[in-house]
């Protein structure tokens, strides 16, 4: 992957420079794009932002690229995804509610706000989506060539409501459970491998959207085991340690924010309450850890197909 990890702004710069279907070049002249989204993850959960979770693959990307010190999103699913994929404010495209305008699942994106895929396809791009969607319409009708769409957000094992290329898939048998984070990465790797085999002359855009670590807290037992005991010091100590690391990294300044309203000091909790919070923190960490591992497999596929240096 290019030494400088670029952001969605690359789309605007690239399309402004080369504008429209008239642009002709080889695939090597056009960068591939891989956007990776996590769902409901605090930015400082990552190791490269001072967190206690092991995220070596994302840390390596940060080491070879950049880390934002000022960055804003809508902090919610529908509006964030709509903004990323269109380049408009969420309110403009009915992804966030206003006093007189419906938003989110009740809003309809205007026809003048197509997804970025509709701009990339005329430039010769193949376009792929893997994971959560939460944008109005269906992927293949919005400029994607391939899609694995997860609509079942209430479980991480054995999804019951999911589609491939806009067609329903059978529910996964609970007797042979499959973990959603791995399923999403598997689809991404299949798309990339097929791209290398059948469409190597074209650049690609891949929109890779994990549901982790969104509630509910579900993780693989072996992943949870790696984090048992790591959070024994309690959230008061851990959050101060993380804040101190963020200051040392030059990412934040100022004072530590107050503890969440209604949350008791750690030393006032009973042993049972402490055990409960320790377990929750371990499961959350396991979910992020597994996502990082699956991202590592996707990045390995990019290297194997010799697309690493031309992927932003």
């Amino acid at each position: 992957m290019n030494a400088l990890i670029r952001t969605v702004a690359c789309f605007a710069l690239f399309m402004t420079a080369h504008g429209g279907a008239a642009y002709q070049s080889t695939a090597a002249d056009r960068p591939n794009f891989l956007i990776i989204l996590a769902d409901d993850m605090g930015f400082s959960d990552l190791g490269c932002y001072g967190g206690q979770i092991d995220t070596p693959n994302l840390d390596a990307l940060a080491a070879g690229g950049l880390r934002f010190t000022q960055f804003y999103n809508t902090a919610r699913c529908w509006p964030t995804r709509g903004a990323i994929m269109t380049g408009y404010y969420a309110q403009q495209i009915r992804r966030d509610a206003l006093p007189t305008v419906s938003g989110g699942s009740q809003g309809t994106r205007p026809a003048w706000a197509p997804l970025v895929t509709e701009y990339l396809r005329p430039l010769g791009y193949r376009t792929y989506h893997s994971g959560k969607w939460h944008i109005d319409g269906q992927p293949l009708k919005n400029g994607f060539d391939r899609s694995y769409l997860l609509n079942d957000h209430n479980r991480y094992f054995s999804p019951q409501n999911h589609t491939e290329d806009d067609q329903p898939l059978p529910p996964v048998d609970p007797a042979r459970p499959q973990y959603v984070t791995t399923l999403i990465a598997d689809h991404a790797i299949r798309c990339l491998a097929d791209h290398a085999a059948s469409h190597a002359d074209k650049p690609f855009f891949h929109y890779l959207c994990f549901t982790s670590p969104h509630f509910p807290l579900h993780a693989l037992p072996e992943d949870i085991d790696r984090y048992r005991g790591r959070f024994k010091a309690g959230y008061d100590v851990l959050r101060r340690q993380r804040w101190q690391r963020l200051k040392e990294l030059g990412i934040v300044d100022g004072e530590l924010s107050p503890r969440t309203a209604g949350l008791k000091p750690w030393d006032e909790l009973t042993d049972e309450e402490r055990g409960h919070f320790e377990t929750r923190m371990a499961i959350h960490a396991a979910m992020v850890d597994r996502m990082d591992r699956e991202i590592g497999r996707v990045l390995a596929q990019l290297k194997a197909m010799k697309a690493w240096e031309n992927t932003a």
Side-chain angles (χ1 to χ4, degrees), residues 10 19 70 75 80 87 110 138 212 231 235 260 272 296 302 306 308:
C10 287
Q70 289 183 302
T80 294
Q138 295 297 308
S212 288
F231 303 102
Y235 46 67
T260 301
E272 182 179 0
L302 289 178
K306 296 181 170 38
W308 179 258

Side-chain angles (χ1 to χ4, degrees), residues 74-106:
T74 71
R76 289 182 295 121
C77 192
W78 284 98
T80 294
R81 294 165 195 273
I84 286 175
M85 290 299 290
T86 66
Y88 288 99
Y89 288 112
Q91 294 84 359
Q92 291 176 287
I93 57 171
R94 312 299 186 258
R95 295 295 86 202
D96 205 0
L98 293 171
T100 59
V101 178
S102 296
S105 61
Q106 305 302 313

Side-chain angles (χ1 to χ4, degrees), residues 86-135:
T86 66
Y88 288 99
Y89 288 112
Q91 294 84 359
Q92 291 176 287
I93 57 171
R94 312 299 186 258
R95 295 295 86 202
D96 205 0
L98 293 171
T100 59
V101 178
S102 296
S105 61
Q106 305 302 313
T108 301
R109 179 165 40 92
W112 48 258
L115 304 188
V116 67
T117 45
E118 301 283 14
Y119 294 104
L120 291 175
R121 289 182 92 179
L123 296 175
Y125 277 76
R126 292 278 296 178
T127 53
Y128 309 109
H129 159 256
S130 305
K132 192 169 182 177
W133 182 240
H134 263 199
I135 302 173

Side-chain angles (χ1 to χ4, degrees), residues 235-236 259-260 262-270 273:
Y235 46 67
D236 283 332
R259 187 190 304 106
T260 301
L263 194 63
K264 293 192 294 187
W266 185 261
D267 59 10
E268 293 181 11
L269 299 177
T270 66
E273 288 172 329

